[in-house]
């Protein structure tokens, strides 16, 4: 089983050609970790979601979305606090920016669970959940706890600058996580904001770093010197909401197929297997980009 831990929320996505501040907004299920869990379920991977979700109407819809995707919800905590809202703005190229309404919301009150079940092979974390306290400290503790017992970990920082009041403190905290990370995945924008270099990050812990470059495709560098680059799959882009989250899921699912959900196996993975894995992730992300909102593909939509 692959566990995804982090926030779920409701994306309010502009509809039609109106891009002004009063444009009509359509609520969609979202949140980086939530999208990753749903994508894993749709791809056919045994997956579970670990978070705190509201008991309000939005929360019920979020839990229902997980179940429909085949995602295990036994690790989900529930509470009466409201669901976080993210108001999306879309650029001419379909790229998305967000404004968050997260004060006092349910996912911020996540509490560290006991050790995850023994069948858990991988843990994925990232985005707002590692920023917003008090939940951020609990998610960080979960990362350290599970890495300490040998679970494969994926970190996607998915930086939201508007949520980070002290960038330098966050950058230092990010570096403190790296010894507990097996696979670091981040976008070019994330890398620029964090101000580091792939070689530096590899020296601090991860077995591999995957960099997403939007229309420029994906690249991987590993601590053993393996490297691979693949182009993006060309599609008519509706928006990019959920594309990076889909990449997370596709990477984990394809690495599992290669028997590489461990640091040692990742070290042994060659350029050919990495190219296959990145190509699969690029294809999955392209399908997500081709439709509005975070709508990751099902396994049957991807060619072998």
């Amino acid at each position: 089983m692959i566990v995804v831990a982090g926030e779920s929320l409701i994306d309010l996505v502009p509809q039609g050609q109106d891009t002004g501040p009063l444009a009509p907004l359509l609520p969609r299920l979202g949140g980086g970790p939530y999208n990753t869990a749903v994508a894993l379920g749709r791809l056919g991977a045994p997956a579970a979601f670990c978070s705190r979700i509201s008991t309000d109407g939005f929360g019920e819809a979020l839990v229902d979305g997980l179940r429909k995707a085949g995602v295990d919800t036994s690790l989900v905590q529930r509470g009466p606090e409201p669901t976080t809202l993210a108001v999306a703005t879309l650029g001419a190229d379909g790229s998305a920016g967000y404004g968050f309404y997260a004060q006092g919301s349910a996912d911020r009150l996540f509490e560290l669970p006991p050790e995850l079940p023994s069948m858990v092979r991988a843990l994925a974390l990232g985005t707002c959940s590692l920023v917003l306290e008090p939940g951020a400290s609990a998610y960080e503790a979960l990362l350290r706890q599970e890495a300490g017992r040998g679970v494969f970990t994926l970190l996607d920082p998915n930086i939201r600058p508007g949520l980070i009041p002290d960038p330098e403190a966050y950058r230092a905290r990010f570096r403190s996580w790296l010894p507990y990370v097996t696979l670091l995945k981040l976008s070019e924008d994330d890398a620029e904001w964090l101000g580091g270099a792939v070689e530096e990050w590899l020296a601090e812990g991860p077995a591999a770093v995957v960099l997403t470059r939007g229309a420029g495709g994906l690249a991987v560098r590993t601590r053993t010197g393996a490297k691979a680059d693949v182009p993006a799959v060309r599609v008519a882009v509706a928006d990019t909401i959920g594309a990076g989250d889909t990449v997370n899921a596709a990477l984990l699912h394809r690495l599992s197929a290669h028997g590489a959900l461990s640091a040692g196996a990742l070290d042994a993975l060659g350029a050919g297997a990495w190219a296959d894995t990145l190509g699969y992730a690029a294809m999955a992300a392209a399908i997500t980009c081709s439709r509005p909102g975070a709508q990751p593909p099902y396994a049957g939509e991807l060619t072998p």
Side-chain angles (χ1 to χ4, degrees):
M1 179 181 287
I2 298 170
V3 172
V4 186
E7 80 280 354
S8 60
L9 50 78
I10 296 296
D11 284 324
L12 299 176
V13 183
Q15 298 301 296
Q17 300 302 311
D18 186 355
T19 58
L22 297 182
L25 300 172
L26 179 67
R28 292 188 178 273
L29 308 180
Y34 181 90
N35 296 338
T36 296
V38 168
L40 280 165
R42 289 185 175 190
L43 291 174
F49 190 54
C50 182
S51 182
R52 182 179 175 90
I53 297 180
S54 177
T55 54
D56 66 13
F58 285 144
E60 292 300 325
L62 287 161
V63 172
D64 187 55
L66 291 167
R67 291 175 177 152
K68 286 180 177 177
V71 177
D72 187 319
T73 61
S74 62
L75 297 174
V76 172
Q77 304 165 19
R78 303 298 299 274
E81 308 82 20
T83 298
T84 296
L85 302 178
V87 180
T89 56
L90 301 179
D93 61 353
S95 60
Y98 299 91
F100 293 91
Y101 296 81
Q103 189 65 36
S105 56
D107 52 86
R108 293 187 69 166
L109 300 180
F110 172 77
E111 296 180 353
L112 177 66
E115 186 176 281
L116 296 181
S118 59
M119 78 280 289
V120 172
R121 300 176 61 201
L123 170 68
L125 303 100
T127 317
C128 310
S129 55
L130 286 168
V131 175
L132 299 173
E133 296 288 8
S137 290
Y139 287 113
E140 179 179 330
L142 181 63
L143 169 65
R144 296 173 187 269
Q145 171 184 288
E146 295 306 306
R149 68 186 189 95
V151 171
F152 182 108
T153 57
L154 178 147
L155 174 65
D156 175 13
N158 201 5
I159 301 299
R160 306 298 186 206
L163 289 176
I164 302 174
D166 187 340
E168 287 310 311
Y170 180 86
R171 290 180 182 112
R173 194 172 187 182
F174 164 75
R175 299 294 279 262
S176 77
W177 298 329
L178 294 181
Y180 304 93
V181 173
T182 314
L183 174 60
L184 174 63
K185 174 263 176 183
L186 71 174
S187 69
E188 283 187 314
D189 289 343
D190 293 338
E192 181 179 357
W193 189 92
L194 287 164
V198 170
E199 293 75 15
E200 296 173 24
W201 298 326
L202 287 170
E204 295 186 36
V209 175
V210 169
L211 191 66
T212 62
R213 297 168 169 166
L218 294 88
V220 66
R221 302 292 183 267
T222 77
R223 63 187 176 192
T224 58
K227 58 177 66 175
D229 296 78
V230 302
V233 176
R234 302 296 176 181
V235 293
V237 176
D239 62 53
T240 62
I241 298 173
D245 312 320
T246 300
V247 168
N248 294 338
L251 290 173
L252 289 168
H253 186 50
R254 202 63 162 187
L255 287 172
S256 178
H258 284 290
L261 287 187
S262 72
L266 213 58
D267 284 337
L269 206 64
W274 268 117
D276 170 78
T277 300
L278 296 184
Y280 183 80
M283 187 184 307
I287 293 172
T288 299
C289 289
S290 73
R291 42 206 190 198
Q295 289 296 326
Y298 292 88
E301 297 180 85
L302 282 81
T303 55

